[in-house]
Amino acid sequence: MALYVHKYGGTSVGSTERIKHVAERVIKARQKGDDIVVVVSAMSGETNRLLALAHEVQERPNPREVDVLLSTGEQVTIALLAMALEAKGCPARSYTGAQVKIITDEAHTKARVERIDNEAIRADLAAGRVVIVAGFQGVTEAGDLTTLGRGGSDTTAVALAAALKADECLIFTDVDGVYTTDPRVEPRARRLERITFEEMLEMASLGSKVLQIRSVEFAGKYNVPLRVLSSFQEGEGTLITYEESEMEKAVISGIAFNRDEAKLTLEGVPDKPGIAHKILGPIAAANIEVDMIVQNVAGDATTDFTFTVHRNEFAKAMEILQKLCGELGAKAVTGDDKIVKVSVVGVGMRSHAGIASTMFETLAKEGINIRMISTSEIKISVVMDEKYLELAVRSLHEAFGLDKEPAA
Amino acid sequence: MALYVHKYGGTSVGSTERIKHVAERVIKARQKGDDIVVVVSAMSGETNRLLALAHEVQERPNPREVDVLLSTGEQVTIALLAMALEAKGCPARSYTGAQVKIITDEAHTKARVERIDNEAIRADLAAGRVVIVAGFQGVTEAGDLTTLGRGGSDTTAVALAAALKADECLIFTDVDGVYTTDPRVEPRARRLERITFEEMLEMASLGSKVLQIRSVEFAGKYNVPLRVLSSFQEGEGTLITYEESEMEKAVISGIAFNRDEAKLTLEGVPDKPGIAHKILGPIAAANIEVDMIVQNVAGDATTDFTFTVHRNEFAKAMEILQKLCGELGAKAVTGDDKIVKVSVVGVGMRSHAGIASTMFETLAKEGINIRMISTSEIKISVVMDEKYLELAVRSLHEAFGLDKEPAA
């Protein structure tokens, strides 16, 4: 007998009809003789409806009270799902985050899970019940309600799976797995049967928004096998685990990309220690998140300092750099918000030389000019003009043979 | 410095605009230097919306899960009211029933309050905060969420006022107090400045639906002065307390009535011990609530047994009596669902003879035929054809001088 944690997002529980459908799936899974714990989100639209009410009342609502308000969303879903299961003759019991208890720190609206008491859940499972837990929410040691931030239901599911030592944590979404790249850009994109936690982190942070990044980190840390699959159709989805010896040895697992980038350069900055901090300090102080950072030192004791930000923050970042230009004695500020980032990701890269050269060669053949390069152990990212995005993704997808099943 | 518990019902918090209005009232009350604890209901319509969702999922939803579902309604309101107060610069903190904790028994959907921990509330009041508590809900010793049944927010307010030894519990409603009778029937009906708990109980159970009866019982038991007043207009409302020596000594406080009654009679039942039980047993077993019961023993060792039920249950009750008629050797079953009950209520009745005769004389003068009579220490009820209701209420209102301020 195995123990599985299922997680159904807001779209999967968006109506009472869909909640009944989830109940059927849970019952089917249980008929194999396994124990099931289900984590659910608020019905789609509910969190936004509640936030709109809050904003009608207070411009910047008190985060403690926002959490009291928002945590009602999942509480509605757990009760309805418990009813749906019982209506079909399946014993079930619901728990709020506070009831479990899922103890978090006190960072309201973005709390972190500290520990989980799972006594009540274990007793219910032993009594033959399906246990339903409200995602996205917890409670502080002092008894204040907290929420884990957007996408936090994934984190709840993984944290529960870790605490209960579940065999697998199944994340049901509106996609049927993790793909080699976005099928809307490359129709030959292929669903991956497996992917490693590290690759998934790189894919997620690079724009494949299947899973919340914190839940993947959490799953990796506690070695909880994660499976992403569709709540609307049958299928095995994609399993996210640690690299195993018998694992399929693809060099590259996927091509990720991000259309929302903009790039800024401070040219000809006198190259002194601490210059990076002098530039990025004011950017961080303005709450602008920086993605890639590249610095080239030229021969003449000055440097060009380039970084990328979200396109929405481009104007704000330009303004800050223009002020800094004079202060730091730099030559000029340039920027471009018509760029994209394309990355190849794969743990196989570690042991294979030549990935970078294959990548650059492929792009060169297509006449694509590379504007920035950044690398990590399992990823190579390049920045290019946005008009090249589709061409780059498709040619790289083919060059690395991603449309073909890898050899065992 | 005094401590007041305010309670605002669903209509008073039915929109974010109204919640802001409640915040203003609370702030105004607090400016007098008093401590305020606020109990709120779910926004009007919300409880019914949630129940409709439940019924879409399960025909007879599990009561434990109904409570998980419904308790979200008040949780939304407490958060929004806390935000509204803070938006106006008034420190506030919200608590769910489980957070307070309001400990109840395990009777889901109609739980009874057993005790209240008020440590957190006291600490917040001492720190200068307004404390907002979700009405209608509590938690069992084992941590399961419970609700107190319809109108349970009044009970929450009274229970909190008792636990905190509050100076007064103010129930804000859509009426501006308790009236001598329904102003829609008798336009000269007058708002009472004071009324006793016992009178209020008789008025409430007889159809003046201002306050939930359990909350009045509770207030009486713990001697919590209750005040009913309007959330939409200024005014002192009506204070409900114990009879005091200096209290206005009206003989009769008000005229209550109930339009929803139906009456049934089993005629010529052989008068043996246990006959009442044999008749009412099957009625109770069918979950039909009985209001008045009257039995007359005639000279011929048979009796006419008459009782009243809610009109909706009339057909069901008639069917049961028809079956019993043969079994018990009774002569006939008769019934009438076009009757009403009119009652005069007043603690002054205890020490005044002649109330009944004034009442019967008044009705006789108007040609109103009395079909049943039932009395208690502070109330006389009569049943009559429904067409006489308005005439009876107005003539009794005048006969007992209820339109005039009583002499001190």
Side-chain angles (χ1 to χ4, degrees):
Chain A
M1 199 175 73
L3 169 59
Y4 291 104
V5 174
H6 284 201
K7 183 259 168 176
Y8 295 90
T11 315
S12 309
V13 294
S15 67
T16 50
E17 276 319 303
R18 288 195 172 172
I19 288 171
K20 288 180 197 175
H21 175 76
V22 166
E24 275 160 27
R25 269 205 99 122
V26 169
I27 288 171
K28 206 168 152 193
R30 201 163 158 269
Q31 276 161 353
K32 294 175 192 156
D34 299 319
D35 282 337
I36 312 282
V37 173
V38 187
V39 174
V40 286
S41 302
M43 293 168 79
S44 52
E46 183 63 8
T47 302
N48 288 334
R49 183 185 76 88
L50 293 168
L51 275 176
L53 285 176
H55 288 292
E56 278 173 37
V57 170
Q58 197 176 13
E59 205 180 329
R60 282 199 209 88
N62 181 329
R64 179 189 183 277
E65 303 299 340
V66 169
D67 283 352
V68 172
L69 183 69
L70 292 190
S71 54
T72 64
E74 291 75 26
Q75 192 171 325
V76 166
T77 320
I78 56 170
L80 293 176
L81 180 56
M83 291 174 194
L85 283 165
E86 298 214 327
K88 293 177 200 297
C90 174
R93 189 169 280 179
S94 76
Y95 289 89
T96 64
Q99 284 179 312
V100 167
K101 318 170 161 180
I102 296 175
I103 302 287
T104 72
D105 60 19
E106 285 160 17
H108 283 292
T109 75
K110 48 182 189 294
R112 286 186 174 260
V113 176
E114 290 185 344
R115 58 167 218 280
I116 294 183
D117 294 353
N118 56 46
E119 236 175 276
I121 295 179
R122 291 229 173 259
D124 278 325
L125 291 176
R129 294 193 188 96
V130 168
V131 172
I132 304 158
V133 178
F136 176 68
Q137 58 182 252
V139 65
T140 66
E141 210 58 83
D144 283 325
L145 303 183
T146 51
T147 65
L148 312 181
R150 290 268 164 174
S153 290
D154 288 352
T155 307
T156 303
V158 172
L160 269 172
L164 293 164
K165 297 186 176 37
D167 293 84
E168 227 175 67
C169 179
L170 288 74
I171 309 282
F172 291 86
T173 68
D174 47 4
V175 297
D176 69 344
V178 180
Y179 274 69
T180 50
T181 194
D182 187 337
R184 285 169 300 188
V185 169
E186 168 54 275
R188 288 187 295 167
R190 193 174 48 82
R191 178 175 58 78
L192 294 161
E193 279 183 29
R194 308 184 80 148
I195 187 172
T196 69
F197 289 115
E198 294 156 289
E199 287 170 332
M200 190 62 211
L201 284 175
E202 296 288 6
M203 297 286 272
S205 64
L206 291 170
S208 305
K209 288 170 188 104
V210 178
L211 279 173
Q212 216 229 351
I213 192 160
R214 265 170 60 194
S215 64
V216 178
E217 285 171 0
F218 215 90
K221 187 172 168 194
Y222 291 99
N223 197 8
V224 175
L226 262 185
R227 188 179 290 276
V228 176
L229 62 182
S230 163
S231 36
F232 304 108
Q233 61 194 78
E234 298 293 318
E236 293 299 303
T238 299
L239 181 66
I240 308 162
T241 57
Y242 277 109
E243 192 177 3
E244 287 170 33
S245 51
E246 74 271 32
M247 202 163 165
E248 60 184 53
K249 283 285 192 198
V251 177
I252 296 297
S253 287
I255 317 278
F257 56 85
N258 187 355
R259 295 181 194 271
D260 299 324
E261 305 250 333
K263 118 185 208 306
L264 300 100
T265 303
L266 201 53
E267 293 178 8
V269 197
D271 187 24
K272 290 177 200 157
I275 200 77
H277 174 68
K278 278 193 184 134
I279 298 169
L280 293 181
I283 295 288
N287 263 322
I288 300 172
E289 264 187 58
V290 172
D291 180 15
M292 290 170 77
I293 301 168
V294 174
Q295 188 181 1
N296 282 328
V297 182
D300 60 354
T302 67
T303 181
D304 292 348
F305 190 94
T306 303
F307 58 92
T308 65
V309 298
H310 192 283
R311 275 187 197 181
N312 294 344
E313 317 260 43
F314 179 64
K316 207 160 93 184
M318 277 301 275
E319 207 177 306
I320 293 168
L321 281 203
Q322 255 133 14
K323 269 189 218 153
L324 281 174
C325 187
E327 287 173 31
L328 299 178
K331 279 194 204 113
V333 179
T334 55
D336 188 345
D337 65 349
K338 299 272 179 292
I339 54 131
V340 293
K341 182 172 70 171
V342 175
S343 311
V344 297
V345 175
V347 285
M349 202 181 282
R350 282 181 190 140
S351 47
H352 287 69
I355 298 293
S357 71
T358 303
M359 184 178 189
F360 301 149
E361 189 191 357
T362 305
L363 297 175
K365 257 195 224 161
E366 303 291 346
I368 298 168
N369 192 24
I370 297 172
R371 309 274 300 272
M372 275 174 91
I373 298 173
S374 162
T375 63
S376 80
E377 255 203 298
I378 64 162
K379 166 196 81 166
I380 304 169
S381 300
V382 298
V383 164
M384 61 188 68
D385 285 354
E386 63 180 8
K387 65 181 175 185
Y388 294 126
L389 175 75
E390 288 78 10
L391 178 61
V393 168
R394 286 186 207 124
S395 55
L396 290 170
H397 199 268
E398 189 173 355
F400 288 107
L402 287 173
D403 48 340
K404 297 176 195 80
E405 289 290 328
Chain B
M1 198 175 72
L3 168 60
Y4 292 103
V5 174
H6 285 202
K7 182 257 165 179
Y8 295 90
T11 316
S12 310
V13 295
S15 66
T16 49
E17 275 320 302
R18 288 195 171 171
I19 288 171
K20 288 180 196 174
H21 176 75
V22 166
E24 274 160 28
R25 270 204 99 121
V26 169
I27 288 169
K28 207 169 152 191
R30 201 161 158 270
Q31 277 161 354
K32 294 173 191 158
D34 299 319
D35 281 338
I36 312 280
V37 173
V38 187
V39 174
V40 285
S41 303
M43 295 168 81
S44 52
E46 183 63 5
T47 303
N48 288 335
R49 183 184 76 87
L50 292 169
L51 276 177
L53 285 177
H55 289 293
E56 278 174 36
V57 170
Q58 197 175 15
E59 205 180 328
R60 284 197 207 88
N62 182 329
R64 180 190 184 275
E65 303 299 339
V66 169
D67 284 352
V68 171
L69 182 70
L70 292 189
S71 54
T72 63
E74 292 74 26
Q75 191 172 326
V76 167
T77 320
I78 57 172
L80 293 176
L81 181 56
M83 291 174 193
L85 283 164
E86 298 213 328
K88 293 175 199 299
C90 174
R93 188 170 283 179
S94 75
Y95 289 90
T96 65
Q99 284 179 311
V100 166
K101 319 171 160 180
I102 297 177
I103 303 286
T104 73
D105 62 17
E106 284 160 17
H108 284 290
T109 75
K110 47 180 190 295
R112 286 185 174 263
V113 176
E114 291 186 344
R115 58 168 218 280
I116 294 181
D117 294 353
N118 56 45
E119 232 176 279
I121 296 179
R122 291 229 173 260
D124 278 324
L125 291 175
R129 294 192 188 98
V130 168
V131 173
I132 304 159
V133 179
F136 176 69
Q137 59 182 251
V139 66
T140 66
E141 211 58 82
D144 283 325
L145 303 183
T146 52
T147 65
L148 313 180
R150 289 267 164 175
S153 291
D154 289 352
T155 308
T156 303
V158 172
L160 269 173
L164 293 164
K165 297 187 176 36
D167 294 84
E168 226 174 68
C169 178
L170 289 74
I171 310 282
F172 291 86
T173 68
D174 46 5
V175 299
D176 69 343
V178 180
Y179 275 68
T180 51
T181 194
D182 187 337
R184 284 169 300 184
V185 169
E186 169 53 274
R188 290 186 294 168
R190 192 174 48 80
R191 180 175 57 78
L192 293 161
E193 278 182 28
R194 309 183 81 144
I195 187 171
T196 69
F197 288 116
E198 295 156 290
E199 288 169 332
M200 191 62 210
L201 283 177
E202 296 287 5
M203 298 285 273
S205 64
L206 291 170
S208 303
K209 291 173 187 100
V210 177
L211 279 174
Q212 216 229 350
I213 193 159
R214 265 170 61 194
S215 64
V216 178
E217 284 171 1
F218 213 91
K221 185 171 169 193
Y222 291 99
N223 198 6
V224 175
L226 262 184
R227 190 179 290 277
V228 176
L229 61 182
S230 163
S231 35
F232 303 108
Q233 61 194 80
E234 297 292 318
E236 292 300 303
T238 299
L239 182 66
I240 308 163
T241 57
Y242 276 109
E243 193 176 2
E244 286 170 32
S245 49
E246 75 272 29
M247 201 165 167
E248 60 184 55
K249 282 285 192 197
V251 176
I252 296 297
S253 286
I255 318 277
F257 56 85
N258 186 356
R259 296 181 195 268
D260 298 325
E261 304 251 332
K263 118 185 208 306
L264 300 101
T265 303
L266 201 54
E267 292 179 8
V269 196
D271 188 23
K272 291 177 199 154
I275 200 77
H277 174 67
K278 278 194 183 132
I279 298 168
L280 294 180
I283 297 287
N287 265 320
I288 299 173
E289 265 188 56
V290 171
D291 180 14
M292 291 170 76
I293 301 168
V294 174
Q295 187 180 2
N296 282 329
V297 181
D300 60 355
T302 66
T303 182
D304 291 348
F305 191 94
T306 303
F307 59 91
T308 65
V309 299
H310 193 282
R311 274 186 199 180
N312 294 343
E313 318 259 42
F314 180 62
K316 207 159 93 182
M318 277 300 275
E319 206 177 306
I320 293 168
L321 282 202
Q322 257 133 13
K323 267 188 221 154
L324 281 174
C325 188
E327 286 174 31
L328 300 176
K331 279 196 206 110
V333 179
T334 55
D336 189 346
D337 64 347
K338 298 272 179 291
I339 53 134
V340 294
K341 182 173 68 172
V342 175
S343 312
V344 299
V345 175
V347 286
M349 202 183 284
R350 280 180 191 141
S351 48
H352 285 71
I355 299 292
S357 69
T358 304
M359 184 178 191
F360 302 149
E361 189 192 356
T362 306
L363 297 175
K365 254 195 228 162
E366 303 291 348
I368 297 170
N369 192 25
I370 297 172
R371 309 273 302 271
M372 275 173 91
I373 299 174
S374 160
T375 62
S376 81
E377 256 203 296
I378 65 163
K379 166 197 82 165
I380 305 170
S381 300
V382 297
V383 165
M384 61 188 68
D385 285 355
E386 64 179 9
K387 65 180 175 187
Y388 293 126
L389 176 74
E390 289 77 9
L391 178 60
V393 169
R394 286 187 206 122
S395 56
L396 291 170
H397 200 267
E398 189 171 357
F400 288 106
L402 286 173
D403 49 340
K404 298 174 194 81
E405 289 289 330

